[in-house]
Structure formats: C-alpha cells, structure tokens
Amino acid sequence: MNTEVRLTTTARLEQVLALPVDAVSIGQEGCLTKLPDLHELRDAAARIRDAGIRAGVVLPAAWQRGAAHTHDLAVALAADGPLTLTVNDIGTLAALSARTLPGCELAAGLGLFPGRPHLAEEAPRRPLETAVYEEGFLTELEAFGVRVLEADATAVVPERDGWSVRRLADVIPVAWARSCPTARHHNLAQPNCRSACDTPSHLVATQRWQLGHGHREPIPVADRPHQVPLTVYGNAVYATAPVAAPAAGDVIIDVRFHTPQALAGHIASLRPRATAASF
C-alpha cells in the first residue's frame, strides 16, 4: 500500500512530512480560490520531493472561469520536477495532455467520478450509492494519457492493465457547489472566504437548498428517513465512508478529517494492515 496525504493548504505540511507517508498532494477538487499561489506551491513541491516522496497538486475543476490560470499554473509547476497533476475536469485534462510535460503524471481526480441523478424521483438513490466507473469512461481517459484514477473506497472500478487506483479513505465526496455555501453563509467574497474554508459545517441530504444552485452532483432527496449526515468544507460536501479503507492498494487520507494526533495514529493503523495483506 502507498499512503498519500492530501492537504488543501500548506499549513500542516511540516507535520505531514514527519510521518511515514509515500506521497503528499496539495489542493482540492472544486475551488480555485482555495489553491495556494504558484510560489507557495513551488516551494511546497520542492520540500516534498526533497523528502524523497511523490509530490502532487490537485487542480480544481475550471467551471466557467479560471481554465487558463489553472492550465498555466500546472505547466509552470510541472517544469520544476516530477509531479502528479490531479485533474478534475475534461477541458483541463485535454489541454494538459496536448503538452509535453516530462516527469509529470496525470491523474483523474475525484471530481470526475460518475454523476448521480439530478432528479431523485426519476431514479431514487441515497447519497452513498456506489459509484460505478464504466469501461468506456476509462477508455476515454486513456486517450488523454491517464492511467491513474482517484476514487472513493466503495467505487466499482474495472481492472485494467497498467492502471492504478488511489482510493480516498474515511470519507466519500458527494457534491461540489459552483456557488459556495460556506462563502454565502459567512457573507465573504473571494479571496476573503479562504479564512472560513476549512472550518466544517454540517447538514443532512434533505437540506439540499443549503448547497445552492448549480452544484455538480446534486444530492438526491428520496428515502428521507435514511439520509446520512454530511460535512461541508468550503464548496465540497462529504459523507463518512460506510466501509473501512482497503487493506491493500493505494489510499489517500484527507487531513481535514484528522487532528495531528489522530492522523499519525491513522497512518500507523493502515500500514500494518497493508503489510499483513501482502502475505
């Protein structure tokens, strides 16, 4: 098992680099404003590489704006050294795949996971309905040079030669909002909303209105008595994973869901399980 720790900012980078991890990535799937600037990301990536582990940057979905900035940022970072670029929209993926980026690995991010129905009455589903990746979708990604997929712990992913799947431990992403519910709640405009982005709020899936309009993966409201509690970070919504992290394979741990003490213990608990599973 390779253990990757994901940060949204560089605030906990020193703590993470002191832990027995195989990779550190920075960024999140849905918000360009939250992403550190080029200088900060360059410095962080260099420190990660100097520690002898894989460095990664998570590029947020470009939505209707920010595509050029996201692309240029990725190209500048890739020129500095080996790097995993996790991409969360097809447009950015197409633009980056058309360039020569030596030493750069393109990964399909969590933001590209299969969608849930927009109208619950058409095909009722709970928020934790298993995501299923179709062969055709993976073939499409292969055409862009992608052989790495991020998925949640419960997702069904066909086995393909030369592919690796990195699964998000502990939580499942349910939605990303174009109109950020956290910024609206605190009445903050960009970039001042950064101060509130990593302070969680909580709701349940029946409170769909709190997400605002235009979120990428609308939360179905069918089966109301069984809806699960959700955690909102910035414009992203998560539910607790109903299964434990896999005993083998690569995992991603989101530090927002772990205190420093809990993070160290969680990593230590995963590694013995991976070792045992290899025998």
Side-chain angles (χ1 to χ4, degrees), residues 9 33-34 182 186 188-200:
T9 70
T33 301
K34 182 66 177 175
T182 300
H186 293 281
L188 294 170
Q190 299 177 359
N192 298 325
C193 50
R194 286 183 180 181
S195 61
C197 198
D198 280 348
T199 300

Side-chain angles (χ1 to χ4, degrees), residues 5 7 9-21 24 26 43-48 50-51 53 255 260 263:
V5 171
L7 304 161
T9 70
T10 61
R12 294 175 66 178
L13 181 58
E14 284 300 322
Q15 173 214 338
V16 169
L17 291 179
L19 298 172
V21 299
V24 177
I26 301 172
D43 178 68
R47 290 160 66 192
I48 296 167
D50 289 345
I53 58 180
V255 302
L263 178 62

